[in-house]
Amino acid sequence: MPPDREKALDFGRTRIVKGRGLGVRLPLAERLRAARRVPQAVVKVVSFPRNKTRLRELMAYISREGKLPLETEKGDLVTDLEGQRELAEMWALFFDGRKKSRQAVHIVFSMPPGSDPDALRKAVRTVVTRHFAGHRAVFGIHEDRKHPHAHAVIHMRGPAKKLELRKSDLHRLREVFAEAAREQGVMLAASPRAARGVGRKGVRQAVHHLRAKGVVPEVQNQAAREFMEETKRGVLVEKPWEAAMRHRHDLEKQAYVEEAQRLRTASEQANARDKEAMREAAKVLDLYSKTMPTPITR
């Protein structure tokens, strides 16, 4: 669809309110991908190595103790543990020297089951060179699960300043990864949860690992205790974040309706081929506005 037709709904970039979700501009093309239920790009920040030893251990883990090759931001391959040790030594020369400082970031990029691992490799290489230009980086591909995924380690210090990884930065990283994947023929979207009617947040790595060990996280116990207390009082009061979530959900549904109407209006001036495509897209948006899931909290 022509760029001038990719109108965007802007929820603003004001302070994030719990339950309201991330305020980002969502182009029409991305809203259509959400309505068509295109698989979402998965990008997870796993950890922040704070010293040379942890960095070396992480490289060894990603490479399966040297059995898998690692690729650098320059396209060079590191094929053994000795090469990883030398790389870690070189990276450490540019650490900021503070003991508790985040020196690097470990990020996982995932594609849907059945995706071509080579397409993932090329997409991650694009992300490294396009989004983290000037930063030292190394990554490896894992194919031991149904969905191929890549582990990347990025040096926090670049040519200008140290990396910042706020929520808006991570959303932009998802957009870059999704775009790079589509360039390789793998259709991925990067829509905020609110635009898809998803209320529950993803599970943090620490909580995931605790559950895997059969341990109930304290945050889950606390939520259960609060719920039981409210149940005993006999009144379940809507929380401020639940009200914010409901309001954002209403805005999102309305946005799909408005974008559909804009497409129908614009189609009146389009040629026959574009007119059909635009009206079909409008139907998709209208239908999604009516079937969009209602977000629920934990």
Side-chain angles (χ1 to χ4, degrees), residues 89-105:
E89 291 283 350
M90 188 271 288
W91 279 34
L93 295 175
F94 301 91
F95 286 172
D96 59 24
R98 290 180 293 173
K99 187 175 181 180
K100 295 184 178 181
S101 182
R102 293 173 170 179
Q103 309 295 356
V105 57

Side-chain angles (χ1 to χ4, degrees), residues 19-60:
R20 177 171 178 247
L22 184 63
V24 297
R25 294 182 63 84
L26 193 59
L28 172 58
E30 191 59 53
R31 201 169 284 283
L32 272 169
R33 282 190 280 269
R36 288 168 173 153
R37 292 177 170 81
V38 172
Q40 293 291 316
V42 177
V43 178
K44 293 183 179 180
V45 172
V46 180
S47 63
F48 295 93
R50 298 176 186 271
N51 54 58
K52 180 173 58 180
T53 300
R54 183 67 189 103
L55 178 62
R56 191 169 59 244
E57 292 173 347
L58 182 54
M59 289 182 182

